[in-house]
Amino acid sequence: MLVSYTFAGFEPVGLVASTAIMYLEKHPHFLDKAKVEQEDIVKRRSSPNEGLNFHEIKDMKYLSNVINESLRIATAKTIFFREARNTININGYTIPKGWKFLSFSWNYHMDPRTYVRPKEFNPSRWDDLKTKPASFLPFGVGPKMCPGANLARLEVSVILHYFLLNYRVEQVNPESKIEPPRNCLVKFKKI
Ligand code: HEM
C-alpha cells in the first residue's frame, strides 16, 4: 500500500506543478497576479522568520485558480476504466449493464459549454465558474476517487509558493510544446 501511495502520489504532482510553471511563464500577466498574491501573504507575516502555514495556503484564492486550471489541462487526457451498473444511453449509443467502458476526461475538461475557449490557459475563468457535476474530475469520482486529492493540492501550492517568490524558468528548447510539459527542458533562475 505504501508503495502504491508513493508512486501514485509522486508523478502527477510533478506533472501539475510543472504544467502550472510552464503556463505561468508563457503568460506573464497571470504570473504577475499569482506572484503579487504570494508577496502579499509574506508581507502580512509578523516576522520574516515565519514560514508558510496552512491558513496562508487556504487564503491563496488566485493560486487555487491556477491549480484548478493546471489540473484541468494536465489531466485532460486521463482515461477512467469503469463498469456500467445499469444500461445507459449516451448520445444515441447504448452501454449495456455490466459492460466495461472507458471514460475520457477530454470530453468534459475541454467542453466549450463549461470552459470558454477550453484550450487556453486562463486561471481567471475560475473566479466565478460554476462547474456542473462531472465537468471537472482531475482526481476521478466515486469510491475509487484519488485519496491523495487534498494532499496533492497542498503539495502543488507549496511548490508554487516558493517557485513564484524565488525562481523563474527559461525554456532551453522553445520549439518544444509545453503541453504536456514532458519534453520541455528548462533552466531555473534564482531571482
Ligand atoms: C495532482 C496530483 C494527483 C492527481 C491528478 C491524481 C489523480 C488520480 C486519479 C485520476 C485516480 C483514479 C481515480 C478514479 O479511478 O476515479 C487516482 C487514484 C489514486 N491516487 Fe491519485 N492523484 C494525484 C495525487 C495523489 C497523491 C498525492 C496520492 C497519495 C499520496 C495519490 C494516491 C492515489 C491512490 C492510492 C489511488 C488509487 C485509489 C484506488 O484505487 O482506490 N494520488 N489519482
Side-chain angles (χ1 to χ4, degrees):
M1 187 159 173
L2 194 60
V3 171
S4 75
Y5 267 69
T6 305
F7 286 104
F10 176 70
E11 198 268 346
V13 168
L15 176 69
V16 173
S18 52
T19 299
I21 288 172
M22 292 314 295
Y23 276 100
L24 287 173
E25 286 287 351
K26 292 276 171 191
H27 298 88
H29 52 296
F30 295 138
L31 186 141
D32 288 346
K33 204 167 167 185
K35 184 166 183 275
V36 165
E37 181 183 62
Q38 299 307 312
E39 288 168 345
D40 285 347
I41 284 169
V42 172
K43 277 184 210 146
R44 285 202 295 274
R45 289 180 188 156
S46 46
S47 146
N49 297 330
E50 270 180 44
L52 181 61
N53 66 52
F54 188 65
H55 298 291
E56 290 175 337
I57 292 178
K58 296 285 270 181
D59 266 355
M60 296 176 182
K61 301 280 180 265
Y62 194 71
L63 200 73
S64 169
N65 288 355
V66 169
I67 293 171
N68 278 345
E69 188 67 343
S70 306
L71 278 167
R72 182 181 72 84
I73 293 175
T75 65
K77 289 178 186 156
T78 303
I79 292 171
F80 298 104
F81 198 46
R82 291 292 194 266
E83 181 179 313
R85 293 172 73 179
N86 297 300
T87 298
I88 48 165
N89 190 290
I90 303 174
N91 293 339
Y93 293 94
T94 300
I95 303 178
K97 181 179 175 183
W99 274 36
K100 309 280 190 303
F101 66 93
L102 295 172
S103 164
F104 189 25
S105 298
W106 187 271
N107 295 328
Y108 24 92
H109 282 197
M110 291 289 162
D111 185 347
R113 291 170 299 180
T114 311
Y115 307 103
V116 178
R117 291 188 293 283
K119 290 191 182 164
E120 283 178 17
F121 175 82
N122 178 9
S124 299
R125 73 167 82 244
W126 293 89
D127 282 343
D128 47 18
L129 185 71
K130 305 258 182 300
T131 50
K132 295 188 286 286
S135 59
F136 183 56
L137 302 177
F139 297 105
V141 66
K144 300 301 282 183
M145 188 184 160
C146 177
N150 290 336
L151 175 64
R153 292 190 73 98
L154 192 67
E155 288 176 351
V156 177
S157 303
V158 173
I159 293 168
L160 294 180
H161 168 77
Y162 287 106
F163 170 77
L164 286 162
L165 292 173
N166 299 296
Y167 299 96
R168 284 291 76 85
V169 297
E170 190 181 290
Q171 203 176 336
V172 177
N173 57 342
E175 71 287 353
S176 158
K177 280 190 170 179
I178 62 168
E179 182 273 317
R182 288 199 171 97
N183 296 322
C184 273
L185 298 174
V186 296
K187 266 199 285 196
F188 274 76
K189 293 181 294 180
K190 187 97 174 78
I191 51 172

